[in-house]
Amino acid sequence: GVLEGILPPAAGYEYEAAGESGVQEMGKGAERFARLFTGGAVVDAPVIDRKDIAPGGKVDGPAIIVEDMSTTIVEKNWQALMTDNRNLLLERTIACQIARPHGGTAPDPILLEVFNNAFTSIAEQMGVNLENTSYSVNIKERLDFSCAIFDSNGELVAHAPHVPVHLGSMGDSVFAVIEKYDNKIEPGDAYVTNNPYNGGTHLPDITVITPVFIDETDKPMFYVASRGHHADVGGATPGSMPALSTSIDEEGVLIDGMKLVEGARFLEKDIRDVLTGGEYPARNPDQNVSDIKAQLAANETGVRELMKLLDKYGLDVVNVYMDYIQKNAESTVRKAIKRLHSGRFEYPMDDGSVIRVSIIIDKKQEKATVDFTGTSRQSKYNLNAPRSVCKAAVLYVFRTLVADEIPLNAGCLRPLELIIEDGRLLSQSYPAAVAGGNVETSQAIVNALYGALGVMAASQGTMNNFSFGNDYFQYYETLAGGTGAGKDFDGCSAVQSNMTNSRLTDPEVLESRYPVILEDFSVRSGSGGA
């Protein structure tokens, strides 16, 4: 910024009118100067009146261009050009040099923030594309979807602020695809899965995963993924969430990490065969395929934007800052852990099951052990929450305890040891039913964790699922509720809480897309209790 006012001419500046090229070069003969901090040093920068710059005139930085209503700073290694229509066009004259960090070198704090926002922005752009190109009300209007970026190992790097229950678990789906296909992943391939025993949540949540290759590598350097809740994937009832299901087969079609695109060719017949097969096939495969194509388009947005980042900074810098932002997230969670206290909590479920959690805080080691030992055994019905859902709930809770603006990523989990017994409500085996585990039990886990930490009272322990339909149309909604209060803050009414972050369908959209009339749309009076 400008440090002092106008100074007398500095030595070494000479006026230079239009040269042989006919281009007016401003600055060297300036009569006014001001001290300016730029490029890490204080310099005497010429002060030029904008009206004195003719079209085609150039001002090399460092310089200050003034006018009645604004001031333009031209930094070192930049140049300002006055266009024919008298706009100032600023261009860099020397390419931006980004230092290639080596092992053990601390990250540049400015670049760390740049990459924090760059990766998150890419995931957000993926979401915008998915919203714009999807067909179903569920994804297009309710925004029941999530998008994220992963490193070459399948570790979560960044996500957009979408649905928490999706994002903490998507990494497990990416891991499952990497493990299944190993060295057989090729450029132009993409994969699809909804397997709740391999990183999925429940069957309506379909995840599309696209590996990202670059020219000089023979294996994927990154992965991008999008997960969307499909209104129906089959099952005993429309909406694929039967209230009394006792087996995963009653909840719809299971897709176990199958190849969706091969060599840039969409395998539509293969995915349709899966969707229309089995005892309870999908009721609207055309809509499923349309939304899956939209998820692929969203992923391609992620690939394209990652390539732009690579072009600007290079693979080594992008890779090392992917690692840095995960380490930074780990560090911030460790700092948050030091402010917490150990605790236990028991959370009863409506079916008689109990979630038991013990959180042991080790302030010296800056880590926490989250132990669900003693939680009820696997349920006969569908309140079983896949291990990935439990992991997502833990990741969400500890991320909310961090005040810093950091992307939710795998680094947040590094200071946490998670203990979940197999064969229990929070880790079950095929063919256990799981439809309610994602939408009911996930919320109960969050309430139990906040209770054990003594951070806040329970929020509504449900996503308030409401669905109806037939063979021709299927509708699904999560109704807003309330969040719990804490020691120094009130709860909040009529909001999507904790593990869900979708939108309520607008009444006009509902009535235009479905054969229904909505008679009332309001907050239920007095529902908050005393």
Side-chain angles (χ1 to χ4, degrees), residues 333-343 358-370 398 415-417 453:
V333 171
R334 289 189 185 278
K335 291 175 184 176
I337 286 173
K338 292 177 72 173
R339 302 193 302 268
L340 302 175
H341 302 283
S342 300
S358 170
I359 301 178
I360 301 172
I361 302 296
D362 185 338
K363 296 188 178 183
K364 186 176 180 180
Q365 298 291 327
E366 296 180 341
K367 68 178 185 178
T369 300
V370 183
F398 278 85
L416 308 176
E417 180 185 358
L453 291 169

XYZ file of all heavy atoms in Angstrom, residues 333-343 358-370 398 415-417 453:
233
model
N -7.675 -29.687 14.384
C -8.487 -30.593 15.201
C -7.749 -30.917 16.497
O -8.363 -30.989 17.576
C -8.837 -31.876 14.421
C -9.486 -32.905 15.340
C -9.781 -31.554 13.266
N -6.442 -31.107 16.427
C -5.659 -31.382 17.645
C -5.774 -30.216 18.631
O -5.897 -30.419 19.846
C -4.191 -31.641 17.300
C -3.950 -32.977 16.598
C -2.459 -33.283 16.471
N -2.233 -34.497 15.695
C -2.312 -35.731 16.182
N -2.623 -35.917 17.465
N -2.083 -36.765 15.410
N -5.742 -28.988 18.121
C -5.890 -27.824 18.991
C -7.280 -27.807 19.631
O -7.439 -27.455 20.811
C -5.667 -26.548 18.197
C -4.219 -26.348 17.749
C -4.097 -25.106 16.861
C -2.678 -24.956 16.326
N -2.580 -23.807 15.374
N -8.294 -28.193 18.852
C -9.660 -28.225 19.382
C -9.788 -29.295 20.462
O -10.492 -29.095 21.473
C -10.656 -28.480 18.253
N -9.135 -30.438 20.261
C -9.202 -31.536 21.228
C -8.688 -31.098 22.599
O -9.212 -31.512 23.643
C -8.412 -32.753 20.696
C -9.215 -33.436 19.574
C -8.095 -33.749 21.807
C -8.457 -34.541 18.863
N -7.682 -30.234 22.624
C -7.096 -29.789 23.888
C -8.097 -29.008 24.744
O -7.916 -28.870 25.947
C -5.856 -28.934 23.614
C -4.694 -29.713 23.013
C -3.518 -28.822 22.686
C -2.807 -28.347 23.939
N -1.562 -27.608 23.619
N -9.155 -28.515 24.118
C -10.164 -27.749 24.856
C -11.311 -28.630 25.358
O -12.222 -28.147 26.039
C -10.749 -26.639 23.972
C -9.708 -25.654 23.446
C -10.385 -24.417 22.850
N -11.297 -24.754 21.769
C -10.958 -24.800 20.484
N -9.715 -24.530 20.126
N -11.851 -25.106 19.557
N -11.290 -29.920 24.997
C -12.400 -30.816 25.318
C -12.115 -31.624 26.590
O -10.994 -31.659 27.088
C -12.664 -31.761 24.147
C -12.995 -31.103 22.807
C -13.117 -32.151 21.716
C -14.288 -30.281 22.901
N -13.166 -32.285 27.076
C -13.045 -33.136 28.257
C -13.620 -34.517 27.935
O -14.569 -34.645 27.156
C -13.791 -32.522 29.438
C -13.312 -31.148 29.806
N -12.151 -30.916 30.499
C -13.853 -29.920 29.544
C -11.979 -29.617 30.669
N -13.005 -28.981 30.089
N -13.076 -35.539 28.567
C -13.566 -36.905 28.363
C -15.002 -37.015 28.871
O -15.432 -36.269 29.762
C -12.669 -37.898 29.108
O -11.332 -37.828 28.636
N -15.742 -37.975 28.300
C -17.119 -38.166 28.732
C -17.732 -39.423 28.145
O -17.158 -40.053 27.236
N -17.975 -43.722 24.470
C -17.036 -43.193 25.449
C -15.961 -42.427 24.692
O -15.362 -42.966 23.751
C -16.408 -44.337 26.258
O -15.337 -43.859 27.050
N -15.736 -41.178 25.067
C -14.714 -40.364 24.415
C -13.619 -40.054 25.439
O -13.883 -39.449 26.483
C -15.304 -39.053 23.853
C -16.413 -39.367 22.836
C -14.208 -38.208 23.206
C -17.083 -38.144 22.250
N -12.417 -40.514 25.142
C -11.275 -40.298 26.035
C -10.363 -39.260 25.392
O -9.837 -39.479 24.295
C -10.507 -41.611 26.286
C -11.449 -42.643 26.921
C -9.293 -41.363 27.184
C -10.843 -44.031 27.025
N -10.185 -38.143 26.058
C -9.368 -37.046 25.552
C -7.961 -37.146 26.142
O -7.784 -37.167 27.363
C -9.971 -35.677 25.909
C -11.397 -35.552 25.343
C -9.090 -34.543 25.399
C -11.487 -35.592 23.836
N -6.971 -37.232 25.280
C -5.570 -37.223 25.692
C -4.981 -35.880 25.275
O -4.554 -35.691 24.133
C -4.808 -38.376 25.020
C -3.364 -38.503 25.510
O -2.820 -37.498 26.022
O -2.775 -39.595 25.363
N -4.979 -34.933 26.224
C -4.532 -33.574 25.891
C -3.043 -33.517 25.620
O -2.589 -32.678 24.829
C -4.922 -32.611 27.014
C -6.435 -32.482 27.189
C -6.804 -31.384 28.161
C -8.327 -31.266 28.265
N -8.747 -30.162 29.158
N -2.272 -34.389 26.251
C -0.827 -34.385 26.035
C -0.493 -34.815 24.615
O 0.336 -34.198 23.938
C -0.149 -35.306 27.044
C 1.373 -35.266 26.985
C 1.989 -36.128 28.075
C 3.514 -36.071 28.012
N 4.133 -36.914 29.078
N -1.147 -35.871 24.152
C -0.916 -36.371 22.801
C -1.799 -35.668 21.775
O -1.664 -35.908 20.580
C -1.183 -37.880 22.746
C -0.271 -38.721 23.629
C 1.152 -38.729 23.129
O 1.396 -38.678 21.920
N 2.107 -38.790 24.046
N -2.702 -34.836 22.251
C -3.640 -34.122 21.391
C -4.425 -35.086 20.495
O -4.499 -34.926 19.289
C -2.918 -33.072 20.539
C -2.264 -31.965 21.351
C -1.570 -30.944 20.471
O -1.285 -31.260 19.292
O -1.304 -29.820 20.933
N -5.012 -36.088 21.116
C -5.810 -37.051 20.356
C -7.009 -37.488 21.186
O -7.062 -37.278 22.404
C -4.967 -38.260 19.960
C -4.524 -39.141 21.107
C -3.740 -40.345 20.577
C -3.400 -41.304 21.712
N -2.668 -42.503 21.207
N -7.975 -38.087 20.510
C -9.186 -38.555 21.177
C -9.501 -39.969 20.724
O -9.352 -40.308 19.549
C -10.355 -37.623 20.866
N -9.938 -40.783 21.660
C -10.406 -42.128 21.342
C -11.921 -42.132 21.453
O -12.475 -41.799 22.512
C -9.808 -43.164 22.310
O -8.380 -43.133 22.213
C -10.296 -44.561 21.967
N -12.578 -42.477 20.363
C -14.042 -42.521 20.326
C -14.440 -43.992 20.277
O -14.263 -44.669 19.265
C -14.592 -41.761 19.106
C -16.114 -41.758 19.127
C -14.060 -40.333 19.079
N -16.351 -33.518 15.031
C -15.071 -32.905 15.378
C -14.734 -31.746 14.441
O -14.040 -30.815 14.840
C -13.964 -33.962 15.411
C -13.936 -34.724 16.708
C -14.752 -35.833 16.901
C -13.124 -34.314 17.740
C -14.749 -36.518 18.104
C -13.110 -34.991 18.954
C -13.928 -36.100 19.141
N -6.241 -37.366 14.233
C -6.047 -37.379 15.687
C -7.077 -38.241 16.430
O -7.100 -38.252 17.660
C -6.226 -35.902 16.078
C -6.281 -35.129 14.806
C -6.783 -36.083 13.790
N -7.929 -38.944 15.698
C -9.027 -39.690 16.304
C -8.827 -41.198 16.125
O -8.529 -41.664 15.024
C -10.357 -39.285 15.683
C -10.671 -37.775 15.645
C -11.974 -37.537 14.905
C -10.731 -37.198 17.047
N -9.005 -41.942 17.208
C -9.037 -43.400 17.123
C -10.484 -43.836 17.274
O -11.145 -43.517 18.266
C -8.180 -44.032 18.226
C -8.184 -45.555 18.166
C -7.434 -46.203 19.317
O -6.876 -45.466 20.151
O -7.407 -47.449 19.377
N -19.405 -35.171 24.935
C -18.469 -34.052 25.037
C -19.034 -32.898 25.853
O -18.306 -31.962 26.205
C -18.107 -33.548 23.628
C -17.267 -34.499 22.775
C -17.208 -34.015 21.330
C -15.849 -34.638 23.346
